[in-house]
Amino acid sequence: IHIMTIKLIISLIHLIINSNIFQYSENDWGLTGHRVVALVSEKYLIESAEDSIYSILNGNSLVSISNYADDIKSDKRFDKYKSWHYLNINSDDDYQNLLSKKNADIVYAINKCIEVLSDKNQSNKEKAFYLKLLVHFVGDVHQPLHVGRIKDKGGNNIKVKWFGKLTNLHKVWDTEIINSHQMSYTELSNDLPVLVLLELNKVQNDSLGVWVKESHEIARMIYKDLELKTNLGYEYKYKYLDVVKLRLFKGGIRLASILNKIYINDLLC
């Protein structure tokens, strides 16, 4: 009986370790940032925007569709949208020159989504598709390495260690820093910076160029730090967690601002 009890305990331990009780999925935590951006934006929507989005998405929330643009990557029919997730900028590039080019990048993507959503002649089906993309891309452009260097594909080709585990720099910023905070997207959305009204108004009205500039400047800092250390852990998390939180908050605020400007006229209809 004693041996059977020990075997049963060992089996239970293995079951718990391999279950989702204490283990989180990298994919799930990778989704968290986009869900936070979407949830923050929902809190700042005006009524007419809420109503229009409800109609376009058939009652679905922005949170529920916030990762659609990643979900369709595995479908070859949507291959042309892959480059819409990023804008490669080398550390010494003038981002302003890149913004003026009509490349199929994240700047073009966001402007295209706004164009379609603002067009009264577009069908709800078309608007739903571009709304799903917009929610995701606004999140992406606030992740600094989505405007990272060309030569390393925004940090994807830079190997680093995160708490001793081999990964890449882009993944650290996409998932690992948020992952290490061990909060759900609802918890994290309530753990973001608080801005005074003046700062909030500025963030809401900043241009897309400002968003890119901010991410580019942070990316340059990230690359510079990497020259000193590639074994990342508590010190790195302590330095950059608040940066990540502010990027998520700004992404949500700015997404809401875009949608409010598009749908404010619906309030008058």
Side-chain angles (χ1 to χ4, degrees):
I1 297 175
H2 180 65
I3 294 175
M4 289 180 65
T5 302
I6 292 174
K7 286 183 177 180
L8 178 60
I9 292 171
I10 292 172
S11 297
L12 288 172
I13 290 172
H14 281 296
L15 177 63
I16 291 171
I17 290 173
N18 291 312
S19 73
N20 288 326
I21 297 175
F22 296 117
Q23 190 177 45
Y24 44 73
S25 161
E26 286 183 349
N27 288 331
D28 287 343
W29 278 105
L31 305 176
T32 301
H34 286 288
R35 288 173 175 162
V36 169
V37 170
L39 186 55
V40 169
S41 73
E42 288 180 342
K43 296 175 182 179
Y44 287 86
L45 291 175
I46 59 176
E47 185 178 352
S48 57
E50 288 181 338
D51 292 343
S52 296
I53 290 166
Y54 185 89
S55 175
I56 291 170
L57 295 179
N58 293 318
N60 290 313
S61 68
L62 295 181
V63 172
S64 70
I65 54 86
S66 60
N67 285 282
Y68 174 81
D70 275 346
D71 295 339
I72 61 175
K73 282 182 178 178
S74 59
D75 190 330
K76 291 186 180 298
R77 293 176 301 168
F78 300 104
D79 278 356
K80 77 172 188 176
Y81 301 105
K82 287 182 178 179
S83 66
W84 288 24
H85 290 256
Y86 57 88
L87 168 64
N88 286 137
I89 308 178
N90 291 321
S91 296
D92 55 352
D93 281 346
D94 182 352
Y95 76 97
Q96 288 285 7
N97 291 334
L98 293 172
L99 291 180
S100 63
K101 296 180 180 178
K102 296 186 182 299
N103 297 325
D105 56 35
I106 198 163
V107 173
Y108 169 85
I110 290 173
N111 284 325
K112 178 64 177 178
C113 292
I114 293 172
E115 177 188 321
V116 173
L117 292 172
S118 302
D119 186 350
K120 301 293 185 183
N121 296 318
Q122 294 286 352
S123 67
N124 262 16
K125 181 179 179 182
E126 194 75 358
K127 287 183 178 182
F129 177 74
Y130 281 94
L131 176 55
K132 292 173 183 178
L133 297 187
L134 178 66
V135 172
H136 190 87
F137 294 150
V138 171
D140 275 349
V141 79
H142 283 83
Q143 202 276 61
L145 291 179
H146 276 259
V147 293
R149 298 184 306 207
I150 298 171
K151 67 179 181 180
D152 54 61
K153 296 183 179 178
N156 277 294
N157 292 343
I158 297 179
K159 302 301 181 185
V160 297
K161 284 188 176 180
W162 180 254
F163 289 96
K165 178 184 174 183
L166 188 64
T167 183
N168 68 68
L169 184 62
H170 191 96
K171 188 174 181 182
V172 167
W173 278 83
D174 257 357
T175 66
E176 301 293 6
I177 295 175
I178 295 175
N179 172 323
S180 67
H181 202 40
Q182 297 190 27
M183 283 189 172
S184 67
Y185 74 87
T186 51
E187 291 171 326
L188 185 52
S189 69
N190 290 315
D191 190 43
L192 300 180
V194 176
L195 301 182
V196 299
L197 186 58
L198 189 63
E199 291 176 315
L200 189 62
N201 287 337
K202 182 184 181 303
V203 170
Q204 289 173 323
N205 292 295
D206 282 334
S207 67
L208 177 51
V210 171
W211 311 356
V212 173
K213 180 183 178 183
E214 290 173 348
S215 284
H216 184 219
E217 289 175 348
I218 297 170
R220 291 173 67 177
M221 185 167 57
I222 293 168
Y223 285 123
K224 187 174 182 180
D225 276 357
L226 208 65
E227 296 172 4
L228 304 174
K229 191 174 184 181
T230 58
N231 190 9
L232 312 177
Y234 287 111
E235 183 182 350
Y236 196 86
K237 175 189 171 183
Y238 179 79
K239 179 174 183 177
Y240 282 115
L241 179 59
D242 284 344
V243 175
V244 170
K245 287 181 179 181
L246 184 57
R247 297 310 286 160
L248 294 173
F249 182 69
K250 284 186 173 182
I253 292 296
R254 287 163 171 167
L255 174 59
S257 180
I258 289 175
L259 295 172
N260 288 340
K261 288 173 183 175
I262 291 172
Y263 296 117
I264 190 168
N265 290 332
D266 291 359
L267 188 64
L268 307 175
C269 297

